[in-house]
Amino acid sequence: MRMSFIRFSVIAVLAVAASTRVAGAATLKVVTTTEDLASLTREVGGDKVEVLGLAKGKQDPHNVEPLPSYILAVSRANLLIVVGRELEIGWLPPLLTQSRNATIQAGAAGYLDASLTVKILEIPQGQLTRAMGDVHPFGNPHYWLDPANGRRIAQAIQAKLTQLDPANKAYFAQRYADFDGRLAAAEKRWDAMMAPYKGTKVVTYHRSWPNFMERFGLNVMGYVEPKPGIPPSPTHTLELIADMKRDNVKLIVMESYFDAKTPQKIATEVGGKVVVLAPSVGGAPAATDYIQLFEYNVTTLAAALKASTGK
Ligand SMILES: [Zn+2]
């Protein structure tokens, strides 16, 4: 049922796409795999781009149910921006194939892998670990959660938009400079808010936060998941509780899209708390764009740290 609907959509979509190209759109149609990349593209592209982010902020970006409308969007796109490092391996490849859009396939001019110019943490040494269920075989793909990487992504987007639309080179450069300035001012504020908690140990559910925690000086000492993408197991949970008690760790950071049952149980055992942060733009109502995502996460985390440490 669903497959045949998708196939029907592709035919309808290709007709629309063909007519659009003939008409010649003034704006670049950009599809990004996440809302974070969409927000950064809007920052740089302004009114010269039309942007759609596929995975929503309340969804686990590793596991997205592609909607038929995504094929329409990808088939019409002039530019596709991906997180890469195989974050989207479970759902993007069929969309790319079904879009039949040569412009945005990997390696084409309309394809941008945002992971190529950023700082990547947790790159596995030696053998790849995907066979053991690890969904981060090429390093940690949640790298957008460091504002320095957000700045690098915005730079890459500026270069790509300029390449595709050279007439608006100055416009994109001015938009990037404006974003860079606002981000730098906000970073000073966030650093001040997090400064009292430098070195505090926390636990996170998934390995979504290494870039974020490193940037703001916190120390992740354990994970609710035994491995990225592997659900909590009783043995691992007991070990984690023992480790947290030994190190007096009180805070568990979790993503909005996981089941809170195990983290809550662990928090009760250690006399601590669970704090839910937004891993992506749209992951909380206040996280309306890239800068607001950090505003929300830093404010929420600092309040939880203040309560648990008394600092
Ligand atoms: Zn992950």
Side-chain angles (χ1 to χ4, degrees), residues 60-62 87 135-136 140-142 206-208 225 228-229:
D60 177 353
H62 287 285
L87 178 77
V135 294
H136 296 168
N140 194 289
H142 303 274
H206 182 73
R207 285 183 182 252
S208 306
E225 286 181 335

Side-chain angles (χ1 to χ4, degrees), residues 39-46 154 157-158 161 171-172 175-176:
S39 175
L40 291 168
T41 306
R42 288 186 190 104
E43 291 283 7
V44 179
I157 291 171
Q158 184 203 341
L161 293 179
Y171 177 82
F172 299 136
R175 299 267 321 177
Y176 169 78

Side-chain angles (χ1 to χ4, degrees), residues 128-204:
L128 292 183
T129 50
R130 180 178 281 283
M132 294 149 73
D134 191 329
V135 294
H136 296 168
F138 296 105
N140 194 289
H142 303 274
Y143 58 80
W144 66 87
L145 285 163
D146 174 352
N149 275 345
R151 187 175 279 110
R152 293 182 186 112
I153 299 167
Q155 268 168 1
I157 291 171
Q158 184 203 341
K160 180 53 80 178
L161 293 179
T162 303
Q163 182 196 336
L164 297 178
D165 182 7
N168 284 307
K169 180 180 177 174
Y171 177 82
F172 299 136
Q174 180 270 317
R175 299 267 321 177
Y176 169 78
D178 179 69
F179 169 70
D180 178 36
R182 282 182 286 118
L183 185 63
E187 281 185 275
K188 283 200 183 112
R189 209 169 54 244
W190 302 330
D191 284 338
M193 288 167 77
M194 293 298 290
Y197 313 109
K198 224 169 195 71
T200 305
K201 288 182 181 174
V202 297
V203 161
T204 73

Side-chain angles (χ1 to χ4, degrees), residues 62-79:
H62 287 285
N63 299 300
V64 175
E65 181 81 5
L67 303 174
S69 63
Y70 290 0
I71 301 170
L72 170 75
V74 176
S75 72
R76 296 176 65 174
N78 306 112
L79 172 60

Side-chain angles (χ1 to χ4, degrees), residues 191-232:
D191 284 338
M193 288 167 77
M194 293 298 290
Y197 313 109
K198 224 169 195 71
T200 305
K201 288 182 181 174
V202 297
V203 161
T204 73
Y205 191 110
H206 182 73
R207 285 183 182 252
S208 306
W209 310 96
N211 294 87
F212 182 89
M213 297 302 177
E214 183 183 278
R215 173 66 179 79
F216 294 108
L218 299 192
N219 185 352
V220 184
M221 60 78 72
Y223 306 92
V224 177
E225 286 181 335
K227 276 181 197 306
I230 305 295

